[in-house]
Amino acid sequence: MKRSTERVLTTHTGSLPRPPDLLEKLLQKEEGLHVNEASLSERVRTAVGETVVRQAEVGVDVVNDGEVGKPGYTVYVRERLTGLDGEEPAPLTPSGEAVDFPEYHSRPPRSRRGVRQATCTGPVAWKDRDAVYRDIANLNAALEGIESNEVFMTSASPGNVAHYHTDRYYGSRETYLYAVADAMKEEYDAIHRAGFLLQVDCPDLPRNRHTVELNIEALNYALRDIPPECIRMHVCWGNNEGPHHLDVPLAEIIELLLTAKPAGLSIEGANPRHQHEWNVFERVKLPDDKVLIPGVIDSTTNFIEHPELVAQRIVRYAQVVGRENVIAGTDCGFGTNV
């Protein structure tokens, strides 16, 4: 993983807006409607090319495929793994945010279309090993003639897969988590062998104080054959617009996060709930073998942040952990789910 030795490098979290025509095809597939798979695959291929070119045009240093072919940053695994075939309605128990702010959460959603909620109803194993190799081939093709410092590809963490696919089979959270870790390891290893940086998406880590340690243990287990400098880890509190007043503070989990194997740590650093947490690193030293990728652009605001504000955010982190240890990123993805 390159460091910002000559200037501050730039990257993003992973998902980028999908072209409207591709978005419609992906939505139709999620809704169970007939979609011509050959046509969809071809449009994904061309969309990856468009996305990579656009990143290069605007000066992003560490680029990816924008996740444009995935229905969501985690639920895509349902198409690749066995055992995640069950479906159930969303739980009726309101969240803590909904209890505190019922008026806000009673607003009708902007769209009723989107990804389905799946459950684990059988053994987790691979059913479509070729899927990740198609992703790799599309990205390699898109990179022809493109100059970039590095290239990354995202994959869901074991903890996040287990969180979004409620267990109805294993009966033990730890057993289920490690079964997912064994399966996802194949995808992680394939991305690494392709020569890309692996980014594991880990919004599961700050979700619950009591599960952080076990989730990191399972993650490290799955990453055991990949060098730390070839991996970065994205940690966030969800990029939904909302109060976020119940988010676990970074200060409470930072020391555990630093025990995770990835050398790169991508965190939120721009939205109003977490923008102040640059000061955590005044008290907790960033290890010499780690690189910090703070979000300096908020993915949930409709304001276009002034470049000077973005620069100020970068400088805050650089002054605390050293400029060579900072890569400028985004808080979260801009196209998390279709």
Side-chain angles (χ1 to χ4, degrees):
M1 183 179 303
K2 293 187 177 180
R3 292 174 179 261
S4 299
T5 52
E6 304 298 323
R7 58 179 174 79
V8 176
L9 298 175
T10 58
T11 188
H12 60 94
T13 301
S15 65
L16 295 170
R18 299 160 181 81
D21 62 312
L22 174 58
L23 183 65
E24 182 61 27
K25 290 178 184 292
L26 292 170
L27 281 168
Q28 289 174 353
K29 185 174 181 179
E30 281 296 303
E31 293 166 350
L33 302 176
H34 174 72
V35 174
N36 184 296
E37 289 294 339
S39 173
L40 175 59
S41 296
E42 175 60 18
R43 185 63 184 105
V44 168
R45 186 189 67 80
T46 58
V48 171
E50 295 163 10
T51 301
V52 169
V53 167
R54 183 62 181 145
Q55 291 172 78
E57 286 176 346
V58 300
V60 176
D61 293 302
V62 188
V63 305
N64 81 329
D65 60 2
E67 301 177 15
V68 295
K70 295 177 179 177
Y73 73 105
T74 292
V75 296
Y76 76 92
V77 300
R78 185 180 64 232
E79 301 172 355
R80 304 185 180 192
L81 302 177
T82 63
L84 306 178
D85 304 314
E87 287 191 42
E88 62 184 33
L92 297 177
T93 304
S95 67
E97 284 192 357
V99 171
D100 291 346
F101 297 98
E103 297 89 351
Y104 174 83
H105 282 271
S106 66
R107 298 184 309 171
R110 279 172 281 192
S111 172
R112 295 189 180 277
R113 303 180 71 182
V115 296
R116 294 169 283 135
Q117 184 71 38
T119 59
C120 175
T121 56
V124 176
W126 278 96
K127 64 180 177 182
D128 186 3
R129 283 187 168 88
D130 292 337
V132 66
Y133 294 105
R134 290 193 293 270
D135 290 345
I136 290 168
N138 286 338
L139 185 50
N140 273 325
L143 290 167
E144 292 184 13
I146 297 295
E147 290 187 14
S148 64
N149 276 278
E150 282 185 303
V151 181
F152 73 101
M153 183 172 281
T154 60
S155 187
S157 70
N160 217 40
V161 173
H163 173 80
Y164 276 107
H165 303 84
T166 305
D167 177 37
R168 297 287 183 261
Y169 174 77
Y170 287 93
S172 160
R173 186 178 181 280
E174 184 171 356
T175 302
Y176 178 34
L177 188 61
Y178 274 84
V180 174
D182 279 326
M184 294 305 296
K185 181 182 188 301
E186 292 193 32
E187 181 162 289
Y188 303 157
D189 290 347
I191 293 171
H192 170 60
R193 288 195 301 268
F196 302 142
L197 289 176
L198 166 66
Q199 176 177 297
V200 280
D201 290 324
C202 305
D204 55 292
L205 296 182
R207 186 171 283 119
N208 188 323
R209 295 173 176 85
H210 308 296
T211 61
V212 179
E213 193 166 1
L214 178 59
N215 285 13
I216 289 177
E217 288 174 359
L219 177 65
N220 287 344
Y221 166 78
L223 297 173
R224 61 187 180 275
D225 293 326
I226 306 177
E229 63 272 16
C230 297
I231 322 167
R232 57 192 232 182
M233 174 176 77
H234 175 60
V235 176
C236 76
W237 288 256
N239 69 343
N240 62 301
E241 180 211 1
H244 283 273
H245 66 300
L246 300 178
D247 286 1
V248 176
L250 178 63
E252 294 187 11
I253 59 172
I254 184 59
E255 292 184 359
L256 283 172
L257 296 181
L258 293 175
T259 67
K261 186 174 184 178
L265 176 59
S266 165
I267 59 170
E268 295 185 40
N271 72 67
R273 193 67 199 181
H274 296 281
Q275 186 171 172
H276 68 288
E277 291 182 321
W278 60 271
N279 63 18
V280 168
F281 296 96
E282 291 183 324
R283 302 186 297 276
V284 178
K285 184 183 183 301
L286 185 72
D288 293 339
D289 59 350
K290 299 283 188 183
V291 175
L292 195 61
I293 310 172
V296 294
I297 295 176
D298 185 355
S299 56
T300 61
T301 181
N302 287 319
F303 283 93
I304 297 176
E305 291 133 319
H306 194 283
E308 196 160 319
L309 172 61
V310 176
Q312 289 170 0
R313 290 170 175 166
I314 295 171
V315 168
R316 286 195 197 108
Y317 282 98
Q319 288 176 333
V320 175
V321 303
R323 62 184 183 180
E324 70 281 3
N325 300 319
V326 175
I327 298 175
T330 59
D331 270 8
C332 204
F334 289 92
T336 305
N337 294 303
V338 296

